Amino acid sequence: MDTADGNQDRSEQSLQAAASLKSFMLKNSTKSNMNLYDHLTRLLIKVMDERPQNVVDVCEEMSRDVKRGLFEPQQSTLRDLPQTTAAELLAEQQRLLFTRPEETDLEEELVDTPIPNVSEIGFYLEQAGVGLGREEMQRVFLALKQLVESQALMRCRFWGKILATESSYIIAEAEYRDGEEEEEQSEDVAEEEEREAETQENEVDLTPLSSFKPPPVVQKEVVGTGANKYVYFVCNEPGLPWVKLPPVTPAQITIARQIRKFFTGKLDSSVVSYPPFPGNEANYLRAQIARISAGSQVSPLSFFQAGEEEGDEEEEAPRDSYEVNPDFEGIPVAEMAESLSTWVHHVQHILQQGRCTWVNLSVKQEEESPEEEEAEEREEEPDEAEPEVGPPLLTPLSQDAEMFNTPPWSSKMSSILTSQHAIAVLRSNLWPGAYAYAFGKKFENYYVGWGLKYGGEGYSPPVPPLPQKEYPSGPEITESLDPSLEEEQALKEALEEQQAAQEEVEESDEAEEEDDD
């Protein structure tokens, strides 16, 4: 009997333990809202149905599949589309650079193109230790090809890259074919005339006219001459649309010389500076391009020769044209790396007036009213301004002046170990980022930088002056001490006695006068 009762007790305890374990296994998880009992049941059913080999090895994966199967039906069939990143958008736009139009023939592509061999230029720039890398240079070449196909350009080359705070500028230097340039100039003149007509219509003479005459405005140079000899196109990345920069004016060059501003990468952004810059960032970028080109565009000596001039008037004016010398045979690389006299400037110098050719502002304009002529006759004739003359074209670099005790140029060979295959590299110290290389009959200019001129050492504020000395102290400015109570009472009594004595003297004087009467 005792053994039967003991077995019954143990069976009851086992049933209770099994019930408690089952209740424990039926507890739902706070994360997945699942319980172990149902999960093991589904796992065993899956094992019975599939009967895989080596069940003990794949048990964990089957358990994971069971859990994943419970969540998949609960997911919605509508999924959020992934957001397109800026890199993907740029890649989509650059994809068009690698597509070849179906209409173009191979024979047309073999004809001389206005684009130089950018891959060859990138190869030499790599030897010089500068450049954008092979991939980006290839994209730039395809972007230049796209620009030439969309514009009627006679010549186009990669000018360089100007860095900015948000996005950089890739710059192409171009020259229009004959005829296209005149059409654009006529359009610009028509737009200016329309603006002047609108301003004259809007003006109403309600206030008296002022006798003040502003200084005459220096006219900009015609497109194709001076600082506007070439046309420049910019874009932020290869594959993005090219934007043509407007012609530069002398006022913009003059103010650009007086300010230092980083570019933002947005052509329509305003330039906040003092003195105020007359234009937006596109105009400021064009002014800096003109300054950099005039100061750092160089070529080997005798590669260019002065162009033929006609007429006596042109002989008096400074030379502004040149042509390739067919007899140029090249200069040894070692000689070009040692002497700056083997390099010359082939871009005109920009005068302080903001132009490459000086104009006399004292000359009267052709269209003037008779009243203005009479007023000018009454005034004294000012002294004639002396014409400003800059260095002539094709001036050797050895004549460049130093700034801030810094030589304007640094030259070297790309490699000392293999000098027979090296190239001559020239670096501008006044415009950091401007480079030039030469090898045989080949040379190229390139710029990559922030578009700012070297300004000497960093600005350090002056030491504040010594504090001023205190005013010398003396008895006439020394503050007296406050009297004590006894001293005040003694002074009061002394004043009362003095007043009483004075009254007695006055009374005695009055008595004597009465006696005399």
Side-chain angles (χ1 to χ4, degrees), residues 25-39 42 66-67 70-71:
M25 296 174 65
L26 287 172
K27 287 183 179 180
N28 291 343
S29 172
T30 57
K31 295 182 180 180
S32 59
N33 198 23
M34 296 174 57
N35 58 72
L36 180 60
Y37 186 84
D38 295 337
H39 178 67
R42 297 188 186 94
V66 170
K67 289 183 179 180
L70 293 176
F71 286 103

Side-chain angles (χ1 to χ4, degrees), residues 136 140 158 160-161 168-172 233-238 242:
E136 188 169 2
V140 168
F158 178 47
K161 183 176 183 179
S168 303
Y169 290 115
I170 294 175
I171 304 167
F233 296 85
V234 298
C235 65
N236 296 118
E237 290 288 344
W242 289 95

Side-chain angles (χ1 to χ4, degrees), residues 474-491:
E476 66 277 2
I477 63 170
T478 304
E479 186 178 0
S480 60
L481 299 175
D482 293 337
S484 62
L485 182 59
E486 290 114 7
E487 292 176 352
E488 287 183 356
Q489 290 178 354
L491 179 62

Side-chain angles (χ1 to χ4, degrees), residues 15 39 104 139 161 175 281 300 310 314 327 345 362 397 429 470 478:
L15 291 174
H39 178 67
T104 58
R139 289 196 293 267
K161 183 176 183 179
E175 188 175 1
E281 186 165 304
E310 297 179 357
E314 294 185 358
D327 300 331
H345 291 277
S362 61
L397 303 190
N429 296 327
E470 295 289 342
T478 304

Side-chain angles (χ1 to χ4, degrees), residues 175-248:
E175 188 175 1
Y176 279 105
R177 296 175 184 171
D178 297 339
E180 299 290 338
E181 184 177 330
E182 297 177 357
E183 294 179 1
E184 292 204 350
Q185 290 183 9
S186 60
E187 292 177 0
D188 296 338
V189 172
E191 290 179 359
E192 291 180 358
E193 292 178 354
E194 290 179 0
R195 292 174 185 172
E196 292 178 358
E198 291 178 359
T199 53
Q200 290 178 359
E201 292 177 358
N202 296 332
E203 288 180 357
V204 180
D205 295 335
L206 300 178
T207 57
L209 296 176
S210 174
S211 60
F212 170 75
K213 291 184 178 181
V217 179
V218 183
Q219 297 297 326
K220 67 181 179 181
E221 295 174 301
V222 183
V223 177
T225 60
N228 291 321
K229 184 174 183 180
Y230 299 108
V231 182
Y232 294 90
F233 296 85
V234 298
C235 65
N236 296 118
E237 290 288 344
L240 298 182
W242 289 95
V243 179
K244 178 186 174 184
L245 295 179
V248 66

